[in-house]
PDB file of all heavy atoms in Angstrom:
ATOM      1  N   LEU A 135      49.921 -15.164 -92.363  1.00  0.00           N
ATOM      2  CA  LEU A 135      49.485 -16.538 -92.487  1.00  0.00           C
ATOM      3  C   LEU A 135      50.106 -17.509 -91.475  1.00  0.00           C
ATOM      4  O   LEU A 135      49.723 -18.626 -91.251  1.00  0.00           O
ATOM      5  CB  LEU A 135      49.774 -17.138 -93.893  1.00  0.00           C
ATOM      6  CG  LEU A 135      49.021 -16.370 -95.020  1.00  0.00           C
ATOM      7  CD1 LEU A 135      49.448 -16.888 -96.385  1.00  0.00           C
ATOM      8  CD2 LEU A 135      47.494 -16.506 -94.867  1.00  0.00           C
ATOM      9  N   GLY A 136      51.278 -17.082 -90.919  1.00  0.00           N
ATOM     10  CA  GLY A 136      51.900 -17.862 -89.871  1.00  0.00           C
ATOM     11  C   GLY A 136      52.714 -19.045 -90.357  1.00  0.00           C
ATOM     12  O   GLY A 136      52.943 -20.000 -89.593  1.00  0.00           O
ATOM     13  N   MET A 137      53.138 -19.067 -91.582  1.00  0.00           N
ATOM     14  CA  MET A 137      53.889 -20.183 -92.142  1.00  0.00           C
ATOM     15  C   MET A 137      55.330 -20.062 -91.699  1.00  0.00           C
ATOM     16  O   MET A 137      55.894 -19.014 -91.570  1.00  0.00           O
ATOM     17  CB  MET A 137      53.848 -20.227 -93.677  1.00  0.00           C
ATOM     18  CG  MET A 137      52.570 -20.515 -94.312  1.00  0.00           C
ATOM     19  SD  MET A 137      52.820 -20.631 -96.068  1.00  0.00           S
ATOM     20  CE  MET A 137      51.186 -20.094 -96.630  1.00  0.00           C
ATOM     21  N   PHE A 138      55.904 -21.247 -91.352  1.00  0.00           N
ATOM     22  CA  PHE A 138      57.320 -21.392 -91.055  1.00  0.00           C
ATOM     23  C   PHE A 138      58.058 -21.362 -92.326  1.00  0.00           C
ATOM     24  O   PHE A 138      57.487 -21.598 -93.437  1.00  0.00           O
ATOM     25  CB  PHE A 138      57.560 -22.670 -90.275  1.00  0.00           C
ATOM     26  CG  PHE A 138      56.935 -22.682 -88.888  1.00  0.00           C
ATOM     27  CD1 PHE A 138      55.829 -23.477 -88.654  1.00  0.00           C
ATOM     28  CD2 PHE A 138      57.479 -21.887 -87.916  1.00  0.00           C
ATOM     29  CE1 PHE A 138      55.260 -23.484 -87.347  1.00  0.00           C
ATOM     30  CE2 PHE A 138      56.901 -21.927 -86.573  1.00  0.00           C
ATOM     31  CZ  PHE A 138      55.789 -22.719 -86.344  1.00  0.00           C
ATOM     32  N   PRO A 139      59.332 -21.059 -92.290  1.00  0.00           N
ATOM     33  CA  PRO A 139      60.171 -21.040 -93.562  1.00  0.00           C
ATOM     34  C   PRO A 139      60.027 -22.350 -94.385  1.00  0.00           C
ATOM     35  O   PRO A 139      59.930 -22.228 -95.619  1.00  0.00           O
ATOM     36  CB  PRO A 139      61.628 -20.880 -93.007  1.00  0.00           C
ATOM     37  CG  PRO A 139      61.443 -20.183 -91.731  1.00  0.00           C
ATOM     38  CD  PRO A 139      60.158 -20.697 -91.102  1.00  0.00           C
ATOM     39  N   GLU A 140      60.033 -23.490 -93.754  1.00  0.00           N
ATOM     40  CA  GLU A 140      59.836 -24.728 -94.543  1.00  0.00           C
ATOM     41  C   GLU A 140      58.446 -24.866 -95.144  1.00  0.00           C
ATOM     42  O   GLU A 140      58.309 -25.395 -96.190  1.00  0.00           O
ATOM     43  CB  GLU A 140      60.168 -25.987 -93.689  1.00  0.00           C
ATOM     44  CG  GLU A 140      59.293 -26.188 -92.483  1.00  0.00           C
ATOM     45  CD  GLU A 140      59.746 -25.462 -91.242  1.00  0.00           C
ATOM     46  OE1 GLU A 140      60.643 -24.586 -91.282  1.00  0.00           O
ATOM     47  OE2 GLU A 140      59.302 -25.855 -90.103  1.00  0.00           O
ATOM     48  N   ASP A 141      57.495 -24.241 -94.527  1.00  0.00           N
ATOM     49  CA  ASP A 141      56.138 -24.187 -95.189  1.00  0.00           C
ATOM     50  C   ASP A 141      56.135 -23.316 -96.445  1.00  0.00           C
ATOM     51  O   ASP A 141      55.582 -23.694 -97.430  1.00  0.00           O
ATOM     52  CB  ASP A 141      55.073 -23.580 -94.181  1.00  0.00           C
ATOM     53  CG  ASP A 141      54.937 -24.410 -92.937  1.00  0.00           C
ATOM     54  OD1 ASP A 141      55.313 -25.627 -92.923  1.00  0.00           O
ATOM     55  OD2 ASP A 141      54.426 -23.818 -91.897  1.00  0.00           O
ATOM     56  N   VAL A 142      56.819 -22.112 -96.330  1.00  0.00           N
ATOM     57  CA  VAL A 142      56.910 -21.219 -97.489  1.00  0.00           C
ATOM     58  C   VAL A 142      57.645 -21.994 -98.577  1.00  0.00           C
ATOM     59  O   VAL A 142      57.199 -21.860 -99.745  1.00  0.00           O
ATOM     60  CB  VAL A 142      57.669 -19.934 -97.067  1.00  0.00           C
ATOM     61  CG1 VAL A 142      57.944 -19.067 -98.275  1.00  0.00           C
ATOM     62  CG2 VAL A 142      56.771 -19.143 -96.011  1.00  0.00           C
ATOM     63  N   THR A 143      58.654 -22.625 -98.298  1.00  0.00           N
ATOM     64  CA  THR A 143      59.390 -23.376 -99.354  1.00  0.00           C
ATOM     65  C   THR A 143      58.514 -24.437 -99.999  1.00  0.00           C
ATOM     66  O   THR A 143      58.504 -24.602-101.201  1.00  0.00           O
ATOM     67  CB  THR A 143      60.635 -24.013 -98.716  1.00  0.00           C
ATOM     68  OG1 THR A 143      61.524 -22.985 -98.233  1.00  0.00           O
ATOM     69  CG2 THR A 143      61.395 -24.847 -99.767  1.00  0.00           C
ATOM     70  N   SER A 144      57.714 -25.138 -99.197  1.00  0.00           N
ATOM     71  CA  SER A 144      56.831 -26.159 -99.751  1.00  0.00           C
ATOM     72  C   SER A 144      55.815 -25.601-100.658  1.00  0.00           C
ATOM     73  O   SER A 144      55.482 -26.119-101.659  1.00  0.00           O
ATOM     74  CB  SER A 144      56.200 -27.002 -98.615  1.00  0.00           C
ATOM     75  OG  SER A 144      57.164 -27.647 -97.905  1.00  0.00           O
ATOM     76  N   VAL A 145      55.207 -24.449-100.257  1.00  0.00           N
ATOM     77  CA  VAL A 145      54.204 -23.740-101.108  1.00  0.00           C
ATOM     78  C   VAL A 145      54.853 -23.323-102.361  1.00  0.00           C
ATOM     79  O   VAL A 145      54.315 -23.564-103.518  1.00  0.00           O
ATOM     80  CB  VAL A 145      53.559 -22.589-100.349  1.00  0.00           C
ATOM     81  CG1 VAL A 145      52.759 -21.747-101.344  1.00  0.00           C
ATOM     82  CG2 VAL A 145      52.674 -23.092 -99.192  1.00  0.00           C
ATOM     83  N   ALA A 146      56.018 -22.723-102.278  1.00  0.00           N
ATOM     84  CA  ALA A 146      56.652 -22.248-103.506  1.00  0.00           C
ATOM     85  C   ALA A 146      57.068 -23.334-104.367  1.00  0.00           C
ATOM     86  O   ALA A 146      56.988 -23.268-105.641  1.00  0.00           O
ATOM     87  CB  ALA A 146      57.942 -21.424-103.091  1.00  0.00           C
TER      88      ALA A 146
END
Side-chain angles (χ1 to χ4, degrees):
L135 297 174
M137 289 186 210
F138 293 106
E140 60 272 17
D141 299 341
V142 170
T143 298
S144 294
V145 168

